[in-house]
Amino acid sequence: MSGYAFVILLLLLFALSGLRVLQQYQRGVVFRLGRYCATRGPGLTWIIPAIDRMLIVDMRVMTQDIEPQETMTNDNVPVKVRAVVWYKVVNPERAIVQVARFEDAVRQTALTSLRSVIGQHSLDELLKEQEKLSSTLGKIIDKVTEPWGVEVDMVQIKDVEIPQSMQRAMAQEAEAHREKRARIIKAEAEHDAALKLTEAATKMAQTPMAIELRRMQMLTEVGAEQNTMTIVMMPSEFVNAADAMVRLAGRAHRDTD
């Protein structure tokens, strides 16, 4: 009986040693005598001890930080760019069989692709169209990693460093653009004001009483300021008479010519 108990104990230990527990986000790639056998899902599973070997693959989205890369833009400006890659394994078998250490492979692919994309665009495009460049970079990396069973969710360019001299030049350019726009706005305001004054003068010339009312309003405004200004008022008839004399003199001059 002791011999049977010993055999049963060995069999029980053998069976227990093959038990494996996989989390919800894990998949187990099983190799039997070196050959791919199956992919196990989450929960309790069993493999043959000493014959089967299980490699666990994490199916969650991974974040890969790409260290700063010094490269040249299309317009020969040296820049230092950082990026972040979000990816996940969609085919555990290929992620293990097709590539060694897929995490490093994704990182190296992102490095080379980042350099290539930056070199094809100018500095202005890099600064203004980061979303577009990030989308392009993600498609390039995903095309490379697809045969490995790895899917790239998103790539984001998060930091662009440019030389100090270039930063000063860009600041001067931005200041010049702001000054130019300020002068244009001021000129447009003066133009609009001149048009309004011309329109008001035309309407007041058509109604002589409006000129008198405007003169009285001006006196009221000056008197409200309590200043020592001396104002000499001339009747509007004098102004009209002077204007008529100027027109007569001009007509007489034309007649003599």
Side-chain angles (χ1 to χ4, degrees), residues 6-19 46 49:
F6 181 72
V7 172
I8 292 174
L9 181 61
L10 287 179
L11 292 175
L12 182 61
L13 291 176
F14 179 80
L16 291 176
S17 64
L19 293 178
W46 186 80

Side-chain angles (χ1 to χ4, degrees), residues 139-193:
K139 293 178 181 178
I140 294 175
I141 300 175
D142 185 66
K143 185 177 181 180
V144 176
T145 60
E146 183 180 3
W148 306 339
V150 178
E151 180 182 284
V152 176
D153 284 351
M154 183 175 61
V155 178
Q156 183 64 50
I157 298 175
K158 69 175 185 178
D159 190 17
V160 178
E161 297 182 11
I162 59 178
Q164 293 292 332
S165 58
M166 183 61 66
Q167 294 182 16
R168 289 192 295 268
M170 294 175 65
Q172 293 175 357
E173 181 182 2
E175 183 178 358
H177 279 294
R178 288 194 297 269
E179 184 177 356
K180 174 184 176 181
R181 180 161 181 80
R183 291 184 178 182
I184 291 175
I185 294 175
K186 183 178 180 181
E188 291 177 351
E190 292 179 353
H191 179 263
D192 294 341

Side-chain angles (χ1 to χ4, degrees), residues 35-213:
R35 297 176 63 87
Y36 170 75
C37 176
T39 300
R40 304 291 175 82
L44 182 64
T45 186
W46 186 80
I47 61 175
I48 303 175
I51 296 179
D52 292 346
R53 179 177 174 229
M54 177 183 289
L55 298 179
I56 298 176
V57 179
D58 197 324
M59 303 293 290
R60 291 177 294 183
V61 176
M62 304 291 182
T63 302
Q64 183 71 60
D65 191 7
I66 306 303
E67 58 269 20
Q69 297 297 304
E70 294 185 0
T71 183
M72 298 287 289
T73 61
N74 192 24
D75 49 354
N76 297 324
V77 178
V79 294
K80 185 181 292 186
V81 183
R82 296 181 61 185
V84 181
V85 181
W86 288 268
Y87 66 93
K88 62 182 178 182
V89 176
V90 294
N91 191 317
E93 175 192 352
R94 284 193 282 173
I96 297 298
V97 175
Q98 297 295 330
V99 61
R101 295 187 297 274
F102 64 87
E103 299 93 342
D104 294 338
V106 171
R107 185 175 63 85
Q108 293 298 330
T109 302
L111 287 175
T112 56
S113 301
L114 180 62
R115 289 177 175 271
S116 176
V117 170
I118 297 303
Q120 296 174 5
H121 295 81
S122 64
L123 179 61
D124 289 340
E125 293 174 342
L126 178 59
L127 296 176
K128 297 177 181 179
E129 301 180 0
Q130 290 191 11
E131 293 295 333
K132 180 180 178 181
L133 294 182
S134 298
S135 177
T136 302
L137 185 60
K139 293 178 181 178
I140 294 175
I141 300 175
D142 185 66
K143 185 177 181 180
V144 176
T145 60
E146 183 180 3
W148 306 339
V150 178
E151 180 182 284
V152 176
D153 284 351
M154 183 175 61
V155 178
Q156 183 64 50
I157 298 175
K158 69 175 185 178
D159 190 17
V160 178
E161 297 182 11
I162 59 178
Q164 293 292 332
S165 58
M166 183 61 66
Q167 294 182 16
R168 289 192 295 268
M170 294 175 65
Q172 293 175 357
E173 181 182 2
E175 183 178 358
H177 279 294
R178 288 194 297 269
E179 184 177 356
K180 174 184 176 181
R181 180 161 181 80
R183 291 184 178 182
I184 291 175
I185 294 175
K186 183 178 180 181
E188 291 177 351
E190 292 179 353
H191 179 263
D192 294 341
L195 292 178
K196 293 296 183 182
L197 288 174
T198 302
E199 183 180 354
T202 302
K203 290 184 178 180
M204 292 177 68
Q206 296 173 357
T207 308
M209 186 58 65
I211 299 178
E212 294 296 331
L213 293 175

